[in-house]
Amino acid sequence: MSRQTNRLPEGGLVDRTQVISFTFDGRKFKAHPGDTLASALLANGIHLTGRSFKYHRPRGIYTAGAEEPNALVTLGNGGRTEPNTPATMVEVYDGLKARSQNRWPSLKFDLLSVNSLLKPFFPAGFYYKTFMWPRSFWYRLYEPMIRRAAGLGTLANESDPDRYETAHTQCDVLVVGAGPAGLMATREAARAGVNVLLVDEQPLPGGHLTGEADKVDGKSGAAWAAGMADELRAMENVCILSRTTVYGRYDGMTFGAVERVGDHLSPDSALPRQRGWTIQTRQLINAAGAIERPLVFAGNDRPGVMLAGAARVYVNRYGVLPGRNVVVFTNNDDAYRTARDLSQAGANVTLVDSRAKEKVHSRGVLPASVEMHFEQYISKVKGRSHVGRVTLAPSGTEIACDLVCVSGGWTPSLHLLSHVGHRPEWDEASTSFVMKEPGDEARAAGGAAATFDLNETLREGSKAGKAAAEACGHGIPGKTNLPKADDLPAYHIEPLWRVPSAMSRADGSFVDLQNDVTVADLELATREGFGHAEHAKRYTTLGMATDQGKLANVNALGILSQLQGRPISETGTTTFRPLTAPAAFGAIAGQARGSAFRPIRRSAMHLWHENHGAVFTQAGLWLRPYFYPREDEDFAAAVKREVLAVRSSIGMVDVSTLGKIELKGPDAGNFLDRLYINAFSKMKVHRARYGVMLREDGMVFDDGTVSRLGESHYFITVTTANASAVMQHMEFCHQVHWPHLDVQFCTVSETWAAMAVAGPKARDVLARAVNGLHLENHAFPFMAVGEGTIGGAPVRVFRISFSGELAYEVYTPAGYGADVWEAIMAAGESDGITAYGTEAMTVMRTEKGHVAGPELDGRTTAADLGLGGMMSVRKNFIGRWMASRSGLEGQDRLQLVGLKPVRSDETFRMGAHLVKDIGVTGVDVSHGHISTSVYSPTCDHFIGLAMLRNGRERHGETLQVVSPLHDESVSVEVVGPVFSDPDGEKMRG
Amino acid sequence: MRIPCPWCGDRPLSEFTYGGDASKARPKNPEKASPEEWVDYVYLRDNPAGKHTEYWHHSGGCRSWLMVTRDTRSHEISRAVLAKPQPGGATS
């Protein structure tokens, strides 16, 4: 392990009393707590951290913040692999392991850097234009090859073992950024009594003050910020979230954020890795600061080139001097502080300013040792894997150096002001986009408002805090104490979108470092008609990488405006959209993954099913027994046994998942008459009836049973799948259409457990179990409703049959569900009572020709399903008038029929089409489709239900079932839809 | 997005279910309404860039159907009231 060669003997906020170690590409290095991976690598003299996206050019650490385009690393192994993490945001912990990416076989020697030599041949749009022919080669050869060569890190193929959480919070004022503006805003808003949430992405408060040498109230900026944060934390109405990035603003002042709870700790920590926050606020103060822009010149991407502000941060915050012989190249006054701080830290500094001497305000801050060149720019950089020398133009002066600090000015972070549709405007004075009209709910302060003077920033933050509190209806008591910062010369900037020599050659003048977009690419885009900001972005991929063009966009717009000879205000800007910074899916999903992805609903009898070997199937959120295999039975054998048991003796199925709604009130019957196609207001008490509901457009919506329990008391069941939709529909009809009807209803789906007892022995068995209810046919006929008890538990008994057998549905309060189920099982034991699952139920309803979900597909009318006769003509009901449209009648309609194979050993599948002749193709050859197909143990061959054009007139016809996908065709005969007991003698007997 | 429910106050979007255009009234006398009136009520919808009156169901809350006026460009909600029959709407 080597010495930290670039660590200064003193200074910075790192904890020098402790030494920790980490590895990068397998090499072990030393660092101090408080270091980022980037500062620790620089301390150890490592600049080269990655290879670029397209040309595989060597790249180094460019920034000190979340906007880092180059130094993207992969952390962790296996399921914990986290690619594309900016080294500038990784807090080093003891034992951290990081790897460089997009290089092969190694970072120093990368075979694919041959792409770099081919750069003249890889301009924007190259792939689209070149790899066009032959077409099939795109999928087989070109795309896989390009994908392997271009790209960032690689995702893990294992599931992530780490824990994530989600959390919700509310506040009156959300302050984003704990720099000088954000801290002042928080204090002022909090003093007014509103609840303030202060969110900052760094572990330490202070924003850019943590990286500056200038003082506030006589203290270092970091110490002042720490004191402010302590003061704020002591206030009851302030909450501070650090290490938290607000990634997006959504409608209605909802914000998304990710808190890095455990990322800075070892993976063995018990804490969740990250926490995804949903924040609801009334006011936003965007104090997110500004991001420095690069300057565009040939070789501006070489390792050793770095933003001027970042170099200052490495010196002041981390005590790291990233170079000894430094050239600072700028078009503005801010970089003079970099020259000052690096010089004071012991570097030889040369300053190159593109502006004329008289425009510069900051010469006075520089020590005498700093050499200055005005009206000069860098035209060339020598040194492939690290800068060694720069050439100035127009003078031709050459300067040997190991660090080039660049500053093209500062870009306010406007993302959170723009996400809901506000458009930024170009501001000539600050040479940046600003948000002049952020709306009533948001305001900006400090760098985010293009205010670069520290005292002005403090004042603006305080003002924003006051204004936000006032917008929440809270005034400020007393006078504000503004801290006093060191005065610095005014910020002046003169645009330099690219140096003059980077005009028209493909010389490696990079505009977007992360996506390898050069000045030449923008020229090509303009020449080929893709010069508008939104077009150029897509044509060149500028701004489309993980940094979303945070560094590149403004320079690109400046260059495009120059190329097109029109002002930036007319070139337009691209649209800011969430997410502002990448967020892990884990942090958004939180605990909702795997078996906790969504709730699971289990019936009251679930444990019995489990104990009796049920295989479960999902029906919406419900788990339902699918079949109950015994010993070595397979699916088909189990289902066959279950069906035959019901048909010959007795079986029982759990139907608790049915939607159940109870209605009361004098108008309950009237209300149901308006909802169903058939009438219920005249139905006798203690009777049940099958009912069908339509949608307003006349198509069948749902079916089920309606029972009358009392004069003004009804109970309805609806299909499992539509339970919530029917309730919603009923509420709509009552609240919006007919609020004058005196009826109350509520869903009781979970309140009742339900089971259907079916088969020739059903009456005998149930009679043994039930008390207080006579089940003889004359006393309790088909569609009768009654009440009794089973084992002391109250039950409602409905003589309803879905299977077509003599059958009863037994309902009991859910708490008794398991007891009642077991009591009936015990009563039926001597008759071999068999539990059956949803598949046997489907087989039996198909044998009986009862329609279900596959037939009620939203395109069928009651008439199509053979239920047209149920439609009352003496009352109004939802869907009646649209159902009687002429277009829904006549021979072209698909009507419900039954199908059986001509050769009884042949099978056919759901979804297959019915045609007259095999081999004829065209849009109109299909006469219909199979909606349900099952093997019928009762018939001992396959049967099906189908929707067939003019089907009711075609019983006896032979058609072909075809499924070209499976290369299948089978001859079938069209029959009536009822295969079992067509006259209903069994269920009525 | 948040919807101000008259019963429950400002509640998050996730508690609501969208119910479509609320500007159409169900024909007052269904049996006398012309096919054109039915088609208009069931199918024809404007798609305004601006204020739009629509039904929202507070399905994860008080179960009220609301009439909400929302600006389709900004999602700004200027009005939310309990839904009731439209003037001229159905009573039978």
Side-chain angles (χ1 to χ4, degrees):
Chain A
M1 217 170 2
S2 54
R3 213 165 57 83
Q4 301 180 48
T5 48
N6 287 354
R7 184 79 70 181
L8 292 163
E10 56 185 26
L13 305 174
V14 294
D15 178 3
R16 288 169 186 266
T17 63
Q18 292 186 57
V19 177
I20 52 179
S21 65
F22 68 98
T23 65
F24 179 64
D25 281 345
R27 267 181 78 194
K28 207 164 178 185
F29 296 101
K30 284 180 188 163
H32 298 300
D35 263 323
T36 62
L37 180 58
S39 72
L41 286 170
L42 289 171
N44 287 282
I46 306 289
H47 278 261
L48 174 65
T49 49
R51 290 273 172 174
S52 74
F53 180 67
K54 192 162 146 191
Y55 303 125
H56 288 248
R57 282 165 74 101
R59 291 281 168 82
I61 296 159
Y62 206 81
T63 73
E67 67 275 22
E68 175 61 37
N70 287 345
L72 302 181
V73 298
T74 298
L75 303 176
N77 288 302
R80 287 206 165 91
T81 303
E82 182 81 5
N84 308 333
T85 311
T88 48
M89 293 299 282
V90 177
E91 294 177 56
V92 177
Y93 55 82
D94 199 36
L96 173 81
K97 290 182 174 64
R99 303 191 298 282
S100 60
Q101 34 184 63
N102 201 29
R103 79 289 190 269
W104 189 82
S106 76
L107 183 55
K108 285 234 169 89
F109 178 75
D110 174 23
L111 278 179
L112 284 164
S113 62
V114 67
N115 277 10
S116 189
L117 302 177
L118 299 174
K119 180 153 50 66
F121 308 108
F122 279 171
F126 170 72
Y127 298 131
Y128 305 124
K129 290 174 191 165
T130 309
F131 297 110
M132 285 179 59
W133 185 90
R135 179 168 285 219
S136 64
F137 271 41
W138 175 255
Y139 303 103
R140 280 192 233 141
L141 180 63
Y142 300 144
E143 196 193 9
M145 185 188 83
I146 292 164
R147 283 208 185 281
R148 199 162 39 242
L152 301 165
T154 314
L155 283 171
N157 275 326
E158 299 157 49
S159 80
D160 185 344
D162 284 326
R163 200 155 58 82
Y164 298 84
E165 293 183 347
T166 52
H168 288 244
T169 190
Q170 296 186 14
C171 56
D172 295 312
V173 178
L174 169 66
V175 180
V176 179
L183 289 168
M184 288 306 291
T186 303
R187 189 174 79 181
E188 286 308 289
R191 256 174 14 100
V194 298
N195 288 317
V196 189
L197 178 64
L198 172 60
V199 182
D200 189 85
E201 67 182 6
Q202 290 288 327
L204 298 174
H208 81 276
L209 291 181
T210 59
E212 302 289 4
D214 309 295
K215 293 197 162 23
V216 183
D217 273 351
K219 292 179 249 183
S220 78
W224 174 82
M228 278 286 283
D230 286 343
E231 186 188 328
L232 294 172
R233 267 190 213 101
M235 298 174 85
E236 273 187 358
N237 54 338
V238 175
C239 176
I240 302 181
L241 285 179
S242 56
R243 297 190 173 95
T244 305
T245 302
V246 180
Y247 60 72
R249 171 177 171 188
Y250 303 89
D251 297 310
M253 294 301 276
T254 305
F255 292 77
V258 172
E259 181 183 5
R260 292 174 292 280
V261 183
D263 277 2
H264 60 294
L265 306 169
S266 137
D268 306 324
S269 151
L271 289 171
R273 221 197 111 200
Q274 296 181 346
R275 184 177 291 133
W277 284 93
T278 303
I279 300 165
Q280 185 62 50
T281 184
R282 295 165 72 188
Q283 290 282 316
L284 165 71
I285 296 173
N286 178 33
I291 293 171
E292 198 167 24
R293 294 192 285 267
L295 282 167
V296 179
F297 54 88
N300 63 341
D301 66 320
R302 292 302 185 197
V305 180
M306 171 183 295
L307 289 174
R312 208 151 81 215
V313 170
Y314 288 116
V315 169
N316 294 321
R317 175 166 171 179
Y318 300 105
V320 171
L321 186 60
R324 306 275 156 188
N325 295 299
V326 182
V327 173
V328 177
F329 176 27
T330 183
N331 66 345
N332 66 81
D333 281 272
D334 187 74
Y336 281 71
R337 283 198 275 170
T338 298
R340 177 195 67 187
D341 295 353
L342 267 64
S343 172
Q344 275 164 3
N348 292 316
V349 180
T350 307
L351 191 126
V352 179
D353 196 323
S354 61
R355 298 173 296 170
K357 194 173 180 179
E358 58 275 13
K359 289 184 178 162
V360 177
H361 299 165
S362 299
R363 276 176 294 158
V365 308
L366 297 185
S369 61
V370 174
E371 191 184 313
M372 290 181 259
H373 299 261
F374 296 103
E375 294 179 72
Q376 297 290 318
Y377 58 87
I378 295 178
S379 62
K380 237 187 249 165
V381 175
K382 275 205 184 128
R384 197 175 148 68
S385 58
H386 198 90
V387 291
R389 180 175 293 274
V390 297
T391 307
L392 303 191
S395 70
T397 311
E398 290 203 2
I399 307 168
C401 59
D402 57 3
L403 180 70
V404 177
C405 301
V406 297
S407 177
W410 290 80
T411 301
S413 287
L414 302 174
H415 303 80
L416 297 178
L417 298 175
S418 315
H419 280 170
V420 295
H422 299 91
R423 301 292 287 196
E425 288 168 61
W426 182 249
D427 175 56
E428 286 293 343
S430 62
T431 320
S432 64
F433 281 97
V434 294
M435 187 61 75
K436 290 187 175 148
E437 289 175 14
D440 300 333
E441 295 161 319
R443 59 205 80 234
T451 301
F452 301 117
D453 175 85
L454 184 49
N455 280 308
E456 187 53 36
T457 292
L458 292 162
R459 189 166 25 252
E460 212 171 74
S462 149
K463 220 176 99 190
K466 249 184 231 174
E470 269 165 23
C472 297
H474 286 247
I476 301 259
K479 208 178 155 292
T480 307
N481 285 327
L482 279 178
K484 180 77 185 83
D486 289 356
D487 273 317
L488 282 168
Y491 173 76
H492 172 268
I493 178 170
E494 192 172 82
L496 178 67
W497 303 125
R498 53 176 174 169
V499 303
S501 61
M503 288 302 276
S504 57
R505 294 196 346 256
D507 56 2
S509 301
F510 285 90
V511 184
D512 185 331
L513 290 160
Q514 198 176 109
N515 255 357
D516 272 357
V517 179
T518 63
V519 173
D521 292 326
L522 291 176
E523 281 183 330
L524 185 70
T526 300
R527 206 158 61 231
E528 300 199 338
F530 296 96
H532 185 279
E534 296 279 11
H535 290 151
K537 169 181 173 172
R538 284 153 184 90
Y539 195 69
T540 64
T541 73
L542 182 131
M544 290 168 74
T546 65
D547 69 345
Q548 289 287 291
K550 286 192 186 71
L551 297 179
N553 277 355
V554 175
N555 280 339
L557 293 172
I559 293 168
L560 286 171
S561 84
Q562 278 181 346
L563 291 169
Q564 293 158 31
R566 52 182 182 172
I568 289 188
S569 53
E570 284 175 30
T571 315
T573 176
T574 53
T575 311
F576 292 105
R577 293 188 184 89
L579 289 54
T580 293
F585 278 115
I588 291 165
Q591 302 90 331
R593 52 188 282 193
S595 61
F597 178 63
R598 53 182 196 173
I600 294 172
R601 297 170 81 180
R602 298 178 178 87
S603 85
M605 291 82 96
H606 187 84
L607 213 58
W608 191 96
H609 305 318
E610 249 181 34
N611 291 338
H612 290 78
V615 173
F616 290 92
T617 181
Q618 287 196 335
L621 299 178
W622 289 100
L623 280 183
R624 300 190 68 177
Y626 191 25
F627 59 103
Y628 300 80
R630 284 184 187 164
E631 281 129 40
D632 348 312
E633 271 182 344
D634 62 3
F635 169 76
V639 172
K640 182 174 181 178
R641 172 180 52 74
E642 290 171 15
V643 170
L644 292 176
V646 176
R647 295 275 186 236
S648 64
S649 175
I650 181 169
M652 183 155 68
V653 62
D654 184 348
V655 294
S656 301
T657 63
L658 284 172
K660 309 172 200 77
I661 298 166
E662 200 140 335
L663 301 93
K664 284 190 174 181
D667 291 329
N670 182 349
F671 182 56
L672 292 172
D673 285 350
R674 294 160 187 252
L675 292 173
Y676 285 91
I677 64 173
N678 41 343
F680 295 98
S681 54
K682 305 229 165 67
M683 183 169 72
K684 282 186 200 145
V685 174
H686 286 138
R687 295 291 293 176
R689 191 174 285 164
Y690 174 70
V692 172
M693 276 186 207
L694 305 184
R695 300 189 310 218
E696 197 72 90
D697 68 356
M699 299 298 159
V700 174
F701 174 31
D702 199 64
D703 68 345
T705 57
V706 177
S707 308
R708 191 165 193 174
L709 302 177
E711 198 50 47
S712 57
H713 183 188
Y714 290 81
F715 175 80
I716 70 172
T717 62
V718 304
T719 59
T720 303
N722 275 339
S724 66
V726 170
M727 184 66 191
Q728 206 155 40
H729 172 69
M730 288 170 63
E731 285 167 325
F732 183 82
C733 290
H734 185 225
Q735 293 174 31
V736 179
H737 294 329
W738 314 304
H740 60 282
L741 293 185
D742 189 358
V743 56
Q744 301 294 323
F745 50 94
C746 74
T747 174
V748 291
S749 299
E750 282 88 358
T751 317
W752 296 89
M755 54 217 91
V757 187
K761 299 274 177 61
R763 178 158 39 225
D764 301 344
V765 168
L766 202 57
R768 290 203 286 270
V770 73
N771 285 315
L773 186 64
H774 292 288
L775 295 177
E776 298 83 23
N777 205 24
H778 64 274
F780 201 73
F782 183 58
M783 288 304 198
V785 176
E787 290 174 12
T789 60
I790 292 180
V795 293
R796 287 177 181 172
V797 181
F798 304 78
R799 195 168 155 194
I800 289 166
S801 178
F802 194 42
S803 57
E805 292 299 320
L806 168 65
Y808 302 85
E809 285 183 6
V810 178
Y811 288 65
T812 189
Y816 297 114
D819 293 344
V820 169
W821 175 276
E822 290 197 35
I824 298 173
M825 276 290 165
E829 201 177 348
S830 53
D831 288 300
I833 190 168
T834 301
Y836 65 98
T838 55
E839 183 60 19
M841 192 174 77
T842 295
V843 169
M844 287 188 278
R845 73 97 184 159
T846 309
E847 290 177 341
K848 185 63 187 166
H850 279 151
V851 292
E855 287 77 38
L856 310 182
D857 67 356
R859 297 176 296 175
T860 46
T861 66
D864 296 341
L865 298 171
L867 304 172
M870 283 170 62
M871 283 184 38
S872 167
V873 291
R874 287 191 299 276
K875 68 184 183 82
N876 291 319
F877 54 87
I878 296 279
R880 172 177 175 184
W881 306 100
M882 291 302 271
S884 58
R885 280 177 286 169
S886 56
L888 295 186
E889 293 164 350
Q891 300 202 335
D892 283 346
R893 294 299 299 172
L894 301 177
Q895 295 169 342
L896 181 73
V897 295
L899 295 178
K900 61 179 192 184
V902 171
R903 275 184 48 192
S904 66
D905 60 335
E906 287 194 310
T907 68
F908 45 83
R909 59 177 87 221
M910 277 170 75
H913 279 259
L914 288 159
V915 300
K916 256 184 125 57
D917 304 299
I918 304 272
V920 182
T921 56
V923 289
D924 207 26
V925 295
S926 173
H927 286 232
H929 58 270
I930 316 271
S931 54
T932 304
S933 75
V934 294
Y935 165 73
S936 162
T938 311
C939 307
D940 194 25
H941 57 71
F942 250 65
I943 60 171
L945 296 177
M947 300 306 298
L948 174 66
R949 196 186 299 163
N950 199 27
R952 276 197 289 278
E953 303 289 315
R954 297 172 70 174
H955 293 183
E957 198 175 324
T958 300
L959 290 169
Q960 307 300 318
V961 173
V962 292
S963 183
L965 272 178
H966 306 95
D967 201 18
E968 287 173 359
S969 62
V970 175
S971 292
V972 291
E973 185 189 337
V974 179
V975 295
V978 186
F979 295 88
S980 162
D981 188 25
D983 299 323
E985 285 163 5
K986 291 172 99 175
M987 62 186 189
R988 287 194 172 81
Chain B
M1 193 166 131
R2 301 223 291 176
I3 294 176
C5 172
W7 293 123
C8 312
D10 279 355
R11 305 299 305 171
L13 183 64
S14 55
E15 291 182 3
F16 294 84
T17 308
Y18 185 62
D21 187 358
S23 65
K24 302 282 177 155
R26 191 164 192 263
K28 193 174 173 68
N29 288 310
E31 57 266 64
K32 289 189 186 141
S34 66
E36 288 74 18
E37 284 174 77
W38 278 108
V39 165
D40 183 63
Y41 169 64
V42 173
Y43 291 116
L44 300 184
R45 295 291 179 270
D46 289 334
N47 183 22
K51 284 193 176 180
H52 188 232
T53 311
E54 48 203 28
Y55 290 117
W56 286 86
H57 188 221
H58 198 185
S59 46
C62 65
R63 306 284 306 178
S64 291
W65 278 94
L66 311 180
M67 270 171 71
V68 173
T69 307
R70 177 180 64 102
D71 192 311
T72 57
R73 294 164 304 185
S74 63
H75 299 318
E76 190 190 331
I77 291 170
S78 49
R79 187 166 173 266
V81 295
L82 294 178
K84 52 179 192 300
Q86 302 264 340
T91 53
S92 59

